[in-house]
Structure formats: C-alpha cells, structure tokens
C-alpha cells in the first residue's frame, strides 16, 4: 500500500466564472490538465456577459483594458497550479516532490472579432515543471496527480476553430483536439487530483500500437456536437491515434508521416433534471447566484481505433502475434442529490464504469464512484469536500504483459485508489487575489509484485 499527501495551491485564477453556449464544454481534470476545473471554466467562457474581473482575477480589469479586449472578442487567461506530494509509506520509496503547471489560454469570439457569425477559436499553451512523483516515489499504474507528465514540456496543447449552426444547436470543432476535454468526463469529479477521475484509466491507457489524444499528448481531430433538446446531446469525434512510442515525449502528435490510424469516439448524454424527471429547487429571490447549478447527467460512450492492433502476448501456432480491434465503452452518471435551502451548497454523487477489449491494452476495465460536497459549512460556500474511489483491473494478457515488464509475477490483478480531498478558497472579492488551497489524502492499493 502507498499513501500520498497532496497540497495544491491555485495562485492565479484569472478565469471567467460562467459559460456560454458557443464554447461550453464539460469540466475536466483530465490526465491533468488542463484537467483542472478552472481551465475548463475558462474554456466555457461567457459570450452573454463579461466576467467579474475584480472578483475572479488576480490583476483585475487592467484599468479597463481587459474589458476592451473582451468587447472586441479576445480573452486572455493565465493559470498557475502548484502541487506538493509526499509518499509516506509503500510504493517505490518515501519522499516528496513539487510539481508546477502553467496554462496560458486565448479565446476568440469570431462575431466580435471578424464578423464571423457562430465562429470561435481557442488556443492553450501549457508548461510543466518540477519532479516526477509517481515515477520516482509511487509507481502506481493509474498515476497519482493529474498534472504529472512523462517529461516536462512547454508548448501548444489545444488549438481549434469552431463553427456553430442550427441556432447553436450544433457545432463543429476542428484542430488540435484532446478528447478528454469533452468526452468521458463528470463535473462532480472535477475536485479530485487523481488522473482517473478525469479520463478514466482504461480509456486513457495506450494500446499495443497507439493511444488517445489526451493530456499531455494531443493530436489533430474533429468533433461534431448536436443538442437537439436541452435535455439531450450527442457528440462524435475522430482524431489521429497517438503512437505508443510517443508516450514519453509528452508533445503534440502533429506529424502525419508517423501515422498510427485513427480513434473514433461517440457519446450520447441525457439530463434528468432538464427533462423534468427530477425536480430542481429554484433559486430564492435573494439567492440568484449564477455559479450554483444542479449537476444531472447520464451518458453512454463507445470508442475504437483503426486499424487492428497486435494483442499483448497472444500468438498463433506459428508464433506470430494475433490481432484484435482496440475498442471500449463506458457508462457514467452524476446527480445532485441534496441542495441546502437558500444557499449555494449541495451534495452530488457520481459513478462511472468503462471496459476495453482486454487483449490490446493492459487494463480491461475500471470503475469509480464518489461524492462531492460544495459548501460543507454555512460560512464556507466556496469550499468543496470530496471522497471517491476507483479500481482498475488487468485481464490475463494485461497481467502477463505487466509481469513481463516487471520481471516478476504479480500477486494481484487490480489497483484500487481512495482519495479524500478538501479544497478551500483562501481569499476572494474586491481587489484581493482569488486563491485556493487543496489538501488531499490518497490511499492506493497497487498491483503488487
């Protein structure tokens, strides 16, 4: 068993608090990145009302310059996140490491900037720094912190253009596009730091030939989203597969010559609250804060790669590797189950299950569930408490591959992680900087040798 103590400090938060329909995306924590809740909030910036610069940014309105940029169709945001992690027992060895992550985000409103009706653009530059905590101290199969990358790098992570049409009921996005910015994500798991509460472990795992476009190695792709009704949505995306030999480069996969096929992914989602199946308590007359909204989503997803991949260890009678389709599916659900009357405080539950073909990648399935409590105390409405668990399982071929890599038999086919976290807002409002600190305790049971 290994334990880890994590302290995350959000030193700068110059981000919009709400989202408009043109750029709206679910929150992510991704492997990462970008995976922070604040980054996703920026990606869902407001077109129908400017952010409150004084309350939600460190440097304010720049004597009106920031508002002028916003009115002309340009928004610039800078986010810095610092994590300190310490392994107290088990794993590879005890000790701690610091990790830093910078996001520079540029958003462009096509209508305001160029008269491009329904058009928008997004650019995100990232930079990693610090130690490799999981690699050097823990050795967890699923990772430890959603910002850790195989190597530290600085460069463009996202760069896409989007066109909305059918009265904003549909949109097409094309460019450097990581699928974990929209697919297989739950808002209520955004408070957690473990990578698997962003893109789940079995889908994020690379196959024998290639893997998905996710943090920190993204690739070109296109995504179509349709919202025929407020309660329903459907998304489909196709991206280039990221070759397995680029896992440790942590850079964007932009070379068409180094091709490894394509990944196709689709997701169908439904909101019980928006469909009127579950009642939502309306805001009271004296409590109409926009930053409090119920969480309500059920979604089903399916993904596959082309062409076929080599199986991990299976061979035919001639000793040649057998091939199989690298594919998977997932089901997720999250729902606000309790809202404190006349307050921005609620409790939400989530659960997720995903599986793969079990022959072309080491993980056959993963399951996770958890709880997030926004405003656990009446005087701390901006704080969040969360507790969640996840388990990943390796089928016989995956276990054999892991055993071969380790050079010794494994005593288990599963890795289980329990995370308890508390995120506190240190200061906000007026000219004060908006800061957050997060204290996490992670307990994980590893695939033991």
């Amino acid at each position: 068993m290994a334990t880890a103590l994590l302290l995350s400090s959000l030193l700068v938060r110059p981000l919009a608090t709400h989202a408009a329909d043109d750029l709206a995306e679910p929150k992510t924590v991704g492997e990462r990145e970008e995976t922070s809740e604040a980054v996703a909030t920026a990606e869902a910036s407001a077109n129908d009302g400017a952010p409150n610069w004084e309350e939600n940014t460190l440097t304010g309105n720049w004597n009106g310059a920031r508002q002028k940029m916003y009115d002309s169709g340009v928004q610039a945001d800078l986010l810095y996140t610092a994590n300190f992690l310490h392994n107290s027992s088990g794993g590879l060895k005890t000790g701690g490491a610091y990790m830093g992550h910078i996001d520079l985000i540029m958003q462009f409103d096509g209508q305001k900037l160029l008269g491009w009706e329904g058009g928008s653009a997004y650019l995100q530059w990232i930079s990693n720094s610090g130690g490799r905590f999981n690699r050097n101290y823990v050795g967890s199969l699923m990772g430890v912190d959603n910002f850790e990358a195989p190597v530290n790098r600085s460069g463009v992570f996202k760069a896409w253009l989007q066109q909305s049409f059918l009265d904003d009921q549909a949109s097409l996005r094309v460019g450097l596009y990581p699928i974990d910015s929209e697919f297989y994500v739950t808002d209520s798991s955004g408070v957690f730091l473990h990578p698997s509460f962003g893109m789940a472990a079995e889908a994020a795992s690379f196959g024998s030939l290639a893997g998905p476009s996710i943090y920190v190695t993204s690739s070109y792709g296109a995504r179509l989203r349709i919202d025929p009704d407020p309660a329903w949505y459907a998304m489909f995306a196709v991206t280039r597969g990221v070759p397995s030999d680029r896992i440790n480069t942590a850079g964007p996969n932009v070379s068409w010559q180094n091709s490894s096929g394509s990944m196709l992914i689709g997701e169908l989602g439904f909101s019980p609250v928006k469909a009127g199946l579950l009642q939502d308590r309306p805001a009271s007359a004296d409590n109409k804060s926009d930053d409090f909204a119920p969480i309500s989503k059920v979604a089903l997803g399916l993904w596959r790669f082309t062409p076929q991949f080599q199986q991990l260890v299976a061979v035919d009678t001639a000793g040649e590797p057998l091939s199989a389709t690298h594919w998977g599916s997932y089901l997720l659900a999250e729902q606000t189950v309790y809202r404190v009357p006349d307050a921005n405080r609620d409790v939400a539950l989530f659960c997720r299950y995903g599986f793969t073909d079990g022959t072309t990648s080491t993980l056959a399935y993963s399951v996770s569930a958890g709880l997030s409590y926004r405003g656990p105390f009446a005087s701390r409405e901006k704080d969040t408490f969360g507790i969640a668990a996840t388990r990943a399982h390796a089928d016989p071929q995956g276990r054999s591959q892991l055993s071969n890599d380790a050079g010794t038999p494994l005593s288990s086919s599963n890795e289980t992680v329990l995370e308890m976290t508390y995120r506190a807002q240190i200061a906000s409002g007026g000219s004060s900087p908006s800061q957050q600190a997060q204290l996490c305790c992670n307990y994980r049971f590893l695939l033991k040798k």
Side-chain angles (χ1 to χ4, degrees):
M1 181 181 76
T3 64
L5 179 66
L6 300 87
L7 177 63
S8 174
S9 177
L10 184 60
L11 301 180
V12 183
R13 196 187 180 201
L15 305 175
T17 57
H18 282 290
D21 294 335
D22 273 357
L23 297 181
E25 286 193 354
K27 299 186 182 85
T28 91
V29 284
E31 258 336 287
R32 343 117 320 189
E33 44 106 296
E34 180 264 299
T35 47
S36 80
E37 184 176 351
V39 174
T41 307
E43 195 160 333
S45 75
N47 292 332
D48 54 352
N52 186 330
W53 309 113
E54 299 301 328
E55 180 178 345
N56 299 299
T57 69
L58 177 66
T59 55
N61 198 14
W62 305 341
N63 293 323
R66 203 167 200 166
Q67 183 64 46
K68 289 181 181 178
M69 288 177 58
Y70 183 88
D71 292 340
S72 67
V74 179
Q75 183 173 340
D77 298 305
L78 178 66
L79 177 72
Y80 177 73
T81 305
N83 291 351
F84 177 78
L85 306 96
H86 187 271
N87 182 37
S88 60
S89 67
L92 302 177
K93 62 180 180 180
T94 60
Y98 156 86
M99 292 191 296
H101 184 85
I102 297 174
D103 291 281
L104 175 61
I105 300 170
M106 299 290 296
Q107 298 175 87
F108 305 93
D109 185 316
Q111 178 67 44
K112 294 178 180 179
L113 196 61
L114 302 171
W116 173 18
E117 185 176 357
S120 57
Y122 188 93
L123 177 67
Q124 181 179 355
W125 179 89
I126 65 173
S127 181
N128 301 90
S129 61
R132 306 271 65 79
F133 179 72
N134 183 55
R135 185 187 66 184
N136 296 329
Y137 294 94
V138 179
S140 170
L141 180 64
M142 292 190 286
V144 176
D145 182 278
N146 56 33
F147 281 116
E148 184 171 350
V151 296
N152 289 330
R153 66 169 289 255
S154 299
V156 175
F157 175 59
K158 293 184 187 178
W160 49 254
L161 298 174
Q162 177 171 296
Q163 176 65 59
S164 298
F165 50 96
L166 298 179
D167 293 327
D168 292 334
Q169 290 184 317
S171 64
L172 178 65
R173 184 173 294 183
V174 179
L176 198 59
Y177 174 75
I179 62 167
D180 53 347
S181 60
E182 295 186 290
F183 290 86
Y184 207 164
V185 293
T186 43
D187 288 356
S188 49
S189 64
V191 67
F192 299 101
L193 300 186
H194 192 269
S196 61
F197 298 119
M199 175 65 73
E202 91 290 340
S205 176
F206 274 61
S208 58
L209 179 63
S213 172
I214 59 174
Y215 178 85
V216 288
T217 305
S218 56
S219 64
Y220 287 124
R223 185 275 287 150
L224 175 67
R225 177 176 175 124
I226 301 174
D227 297 84
D229 180 88
W232 289 91
Y233 72 87
M235 296 188 297
F236 176 79
V238 55
T239 68
R240 293 188 62 246
V242 179
S244 294
D245 59 9
R246 287 191 56 84
I247 295 175
N248 293 324
T249 64
N253 180 36
V254 297
S255 172
W256 290 102
Q257 286 72 33
N258 189 14
S259 177
S260 55
S262 301
M263 180 185 185
L264 294 80
I265 184 170
E267 181 176 304
L268 178 66
F270 172 71
S271 173
V273 166
K274 292 181 179 178
L277 300 180
L278 296 175
Q279 291 296 323
D280 173 43
R281 174 185 58 79
S284 63
D286 57 351
N287 184 43
K288 297 181 179 179
S289 176
D290 289 337
D291 64 358
F292 183 67
I295 293 172
S296 180
K297 181 172 73 172
V298 178
L300 174 67
L302 178 67
W303 56 267
R304 63 161 292 178
F305 282 82
T306 59
Q308 288 196 328
F309 287 13
Q310 291 184 356
Q311 296 190 33
L312 296 176
V313 298
V315 295
D316 60 19
T317 55
E320 295 296 325
L322 294 175
S323 297
T325 300
H326 184 39
W327 69 279
S329 185
Y330 60 88
L331 176 67
L332 60 86
E334 59 178 340
Q335 179 63 48
T336 298
V337 295
Y338 175 70
R339 302 180 71 181
V340 178
D342 300 321
N344 284 353
R345 304 168 60 201
D346 71 351
V347 177
L349 303 178
F350 73 89
C351 60
R352 311 191 305 177
Y353 172 74
F355 61 92
T356 71
D357 61 281
T359 63
T360 59
S361 62
T362 54
L363 295 180
Y365 71 80
S366 77
V367 59
S368 60
L371 170 152
S372 65
Y373 190 173
R374 296 188 291 186
F377 305 104
S379 59
R380 304 291 304 178
E381 287 193 348
K382 298 295 184 180
D383 293 2
T384 304
F385 167 78
I387 182 170
T390 184
R391 165 173 280 201
H393 172 80
D395 269 356
Q397 287 205 47
R399 183 173 175 176
S400 178
Q401 181 69 59
L402 291 169
S403 180
N404 291 339
D405 293 342
T408 183
L410 302 179
S411 62
S412 174
S413 298
N414 304 296
E415 179 175 289
T416 302
V417 175
L418 172 67
E419 177 175 337
M420 293 180 291
T421 186
Y422 190 93
R423 185 172 65 191
Q425 185 178 59
I426 298 174
S428 65
S431 59
S432 301
S434 179
Q435 299 176 331
Q436 293 178 338
Q438 185 162 333
L439 181 65
C440 294
C441 291
N442 284 358
Y443 297 91
R444 48 185 45 81
F445 301 90
L446 308 180
L447 286 162
K448 298 180 178 65
K449 299 179 182 179

